[in-house]
Amino acid sequence: MLSYGLYANDILQVVKGLAGCSLQVAYLSIRSYNLFFWQNKKHTHVIQLLDVLLVGLGFLGAYWCKKYMVSFSPVLTTSPNYYVILFLLVLTSYLSFASFKLHEPCVQGSLFRRIIKVWMAVGVSVVVLIVMMFVLHQHDISRLLLGLHFLFASTLCSIRLFVSDRRSRLGSQGGKHIVKVLVVGSRERAKETIISILESPGSHYHILGCVELSPDDIGKKVVGDIEVIADMRDFKQLLLNRVVDDVIFAIPLKQIPNIIDQISFAEKLGVNVRIMPDWQIQKIMFRPETASVSFENYAGLPCLSLSSTPKEDTSLLVKSFIDIAGSMVGIVLISPLLLTIAALVKLTSRGPVFFSQERVGLNGRRFMVHKFRTMVVNAEALKADLAHVNEMDGPVFKIKNDPRVTKIGNFLRKTSLDELPQLFNVAKGEMSLVGPRPPLPKEVDEYLPCHRRRLSMRPGITCIWQVSGRNN
């Protein structure tokens, strides 16, 4: 009876997990928005598109409210054509938002001021539409409809702005969606850079510290609690041993020994390199092996950016939405299958249903990856005894007929069903549906610098290796 109680308890935990995940759909939908938008300033046009869609939704809501809820005017005239009105509103709103610079991250100001600007921009778009209707001799458009549209559209865009700002602040406070920044330099240019980053509205950057040329500067305070943590001799080790997303060179490049080698090393790891202008950029204008060179605004400061990751921003944005939506829909649809597998794992072998293991994700971030358990409980302890039959080269450990695998585990591995719990990792933003498989920390410790570039993208449940015969 005790064993059956344990089985029931494990299944109940799975059910609770599925239910809890379903209740977080709205939260994760917002999170999917934040995971990408707040880590890349290149998405101004996409955010504009989102607000324009909200404007269109506001017009549809106003039309429905005017037609079906306002008792003294239940019928709208068929002239003018309201499809044309909707198109013109979307167009004028887009132009109005652009003219008010609502989506420029460096000039946004406080949340209250941005909300006021949203209402002003929507109001201007409505006024422009009225003028256009007057020029086109269209006088039958409902003024109440336009008033309702102004109210609905402004409210929706304000809510979007408030939710984005709130999630950005909570993410910064909780350590989520944080861009880890290492600054090379500690003098005036570096101080200005750090202050600008820290004062950036809704800043999601975390300054790890500064790197200087001389070891005598280690421990020196730069701005607030930010201090010099190393000299350039330890620069490469910092990139290897710490989670670093961006490196900012805020020091004259001619003063840095082996500058090309330092930048090339960061490029191999997949770390973004940003260079604050010092009029010496011709010194490093080499032909990078993989990085693309561009000029950007970084927290309001112009800089030269070298990035080894693709610049397909819109594609990556779509991928982010697919990850969150796909994982949530997948969890709900296959929940009966998850419960069935959980019961089979528990009934056929001793031990827990799930196997959780620390893996390395984006730019060295550690997280726990979840799978259905396919091995005996003491599998890790037995690994050392099987090292001599490892069929893979390097740090990866693989055996074709691994004696540690259970009977149901063998089936789960062949069908890859053991990977299904990683949908929860995708929903949490730790993984993607498609991407390089997350390695073990000790495997990463044996990587060559060029191998670490795979960590510059979010790891995935499946990848080209798995669908191409795996280690065969």
Side-chain angles (χ1 to χ4, degrees):
M1 293 299 294
L2 179 61
S3 61
Y4 285 107
L6 292 174
Y7 299 159
N9 183 59
D10 284 326
I11 295 175
L12 180 61
Q13 290 180 1
V14 175
V15 173
K16 286 182 178 180
L18 293 172
C21 195
S22 299
L23 291 176
Q24 295 181 15
V25 171
Y27 164 77
L28 289 170
S29 298
I30 295 172
R31 178 172 183 164
S32 68
Y33 171 87
N34 295 312
L35 281 173
F36 208 83
F37 285 120
W38 294 333
Q39 296 185 30
N40 197 315
K41 301 179 291 299
K42 294 289 188 178
H43 297 88
T44 299
H45 62 290
V46 182
I47 303 176
Q48 285 178 328
L49 177 60
L50 177 60
D51 278 345
V52 167
L53 291 175
L54 291 177
V55 167
L57 184 61
F59 180 80
L60 295 177
Y63 185 91
W64 184 87
C65 185
K66 176 68 172 65
K67 187 171 183 178
Y68 297 106
M69 297 185 65
V70 181
S71 58
F72 55 86
S73 182
V75 179
L76 283 171
T77 62
T78 57
S79 178
N81 188 324
Y82 281 96
Y83 291 107
V84 176
I85 299 298
L86 175 59
F87 171 76
L88 292 177
L89 268 176
V90 167
L91 178 62
T92 57
S93 297
Y94 182 87
L95 297 175
S96 180
F97 288 162
S99 64
F100 275 85
K101 298 182 179 180
L102 291 178
H103 307 102
E104 294 294 330
C106 302
V107 294
Q108 288 182 341
S110 67
L111 175 62
F112 177 75
R113 292 184 62 183
R114 283 180 282 163
I115 290 178
I116 293 298
K117 289 175 68 175
V118 164
W119 285 71
M120 292 175 62
V122 175
V124 167
S125 68
V126 173
V127 170
V128 172
L129 175 68
I130 293 174
V131 173
M132 294 174 66
M133 291 293 97
F134 179 80
V135 172
L136 296 174
H137 302 288
Q138 296 289 340
H139 307 295
D140 295 333
I141 186 171
S142 170
R143 288 170 290 180
L144 178 59
L145 174 64
L146 293 180
L148 290 172
H149 162 75
F150 169 73
L151 179 63
F152 290 174
S154 299
T155 301
L156 288 174
C157 291
S158 298
I159 291 174
R160 195 279 305 165
L161 190 59
F162 174 79
V163 171
S164 300
D165 183 83
R166 183 62 178 169
R167 282 292 301 138
S168 178
R169 294 181 186 277
L170 290 178
S172 297
Q173 295 171 4
K176 301 176 181 179
H177 322 310
I178 295 297
V179 176
K180 304 294 183 75
V181 181
L182 183 66
V183 179
V184 178
S186 64
R187 308 193 189 283
E188 290 306 315
R189 184 180 303 151
K191 290 180 180 179
E192 293 175 0
T193 300
I194 294 171
I195 292 173
S196 180
I197 291 174
L198 296 178
E199 293 180 349
S200 178
S203 178
H204 55 280
Y205 301 99
H206 172 67
I207 309 294
L208 297 173
C210 297
V211 178
E212 261 295 352
L213 301 177
S214 172
D216 297 334
D217 292 322
I218 296 177
K220 181 184 73 175
K221 296 291 184 180
V222 182
V223 176
D225 295 332
I226 298 172
E227 61 182 29
V228 178
I229 59 175
D231 61 82
M232 285 303 296
R233 293 176 302 178
D234 297 325
F235 176 71
K236 294 182 179 180
Q237 288 301 318
L238 277 175
L239 297 186
L240 288 173
N241 299 324
R242 299 283 294 270
V243 176
V244 180
D245 297 305
D246 292 348
V247 173
I248 300 179
F249 286 90
I251 190 173
L253 298 180
K254 62 183 179 181
Q255 297 181 13
I256 303 177
N258 302 319
I259 179 60
I260 295 180
D261 178 57
Q262 307 284 16
I263 293 178
S264 297
F265 186 80
E267 175 205 345
K268 288 179 180 178
L269 302 187
V271 176
N272 292 324
V273 175
R274 305 183 189 279
I275 302 169
M276 295 305 160
D278 63 352
W279 308 111
Q280 297 291 327
I281 60 174
Q282 69 275 7
K283 298 289 185 181
I284 52 85
M285 289 303 288
F286 61 99
R287 297 179 65 87
E289 296 178 4
T290 56
S292 58
V293 181
S294 61
F295 287 92
E296 295 181 356
N297 280 329
Y298 192 80
L301 299 172
C303 69
L304 183 70
S305 174
L306 281 73
S307 176
S308 59
T309 55
K311 290 296 184 181
E312 300 293 335
D313 299 331
T314 303
S315 299
L316 291 175
L317 173 64
V318 173
K319 186 176 187 293
S320 178
F321 276 112
I322 291 175
D323 285 340
I324 299 298
S327 62
M328 295 304 303
V329 172
I331 289 171
V332 173
L333 291 180
I334 68 171
S335 55
L337 177 61
L338 294 176
L339 292 171
T340 301
I341 295 175
L344 291 174
V345 171
K346 189 64 180 178
L347 292 170
T348 55
S349 63
R350 181 175 56 86
V353 170
F354 297 108
F355 171 73
S356 298
Q357 188 179 49
E358 186 180 48
R359 295 294 182 100
V360 181
L362 181 65
N363 286 332
R365 288 168 171 82
R366 304 291 182 91
F367 70 99
M368 300 302 293
V369 69
H370 307 296
K371 297 182 179 183
F372 283 117
R373 182 175 57 83
T374 60
M375 290 186 174
V376 295
V377 177
N378 60 337
E380 285 299 308
L382 298 175
K383 184 176 178 180
D385 298 332
L386 299 171
H388 64 284
V389 293
N390 184 16
E391 299 174 358
M392 301 296 290
D393 295 326
V396 181
F397 184 85
K398 290 287 181 182
I399 303 176
K400 185 175 182 180
N401 296 312
D402 198 323
R404 301 172 298 167
V405 179
T406 63
K407 292 182 179 180
I408 186 64
N410 189 46
F411 170 76
L412 293 178
R413 287 189 164 207
K414 287 182 178 179
T415 56
S416 295
L417 293 176
D418 61 315
E419 311 283 358
L420 291 180
Q422 290 168 38
L423 289 171
F424 291 93
N425 290 112
V426 177
K428 291 167 62 179
E430 297 166 338
M431 294 179 62
S432 176
L433 294 175
V434 179
R437 290 295 294 159
L440 293 167
K442 55 186 174 182
E443 293 176 356
V444 175
D445 292 340
E446 298 184 39
Y447 278 1
L448 297 174
C450 58
H451 297 156
R452 290 179 63 95
R453 186 168 177 262
R454 67 175 295 187
L455 302 180
S456 64
M457 298 298 290
R458 205 177 302 278
I461 294 180
T462 188
C463 61
I464 191 66
W465 179 77
Q466 285 197 321
V467 299
S468 301
R470 302 193 179 188
N471 55 307
N472 293 326

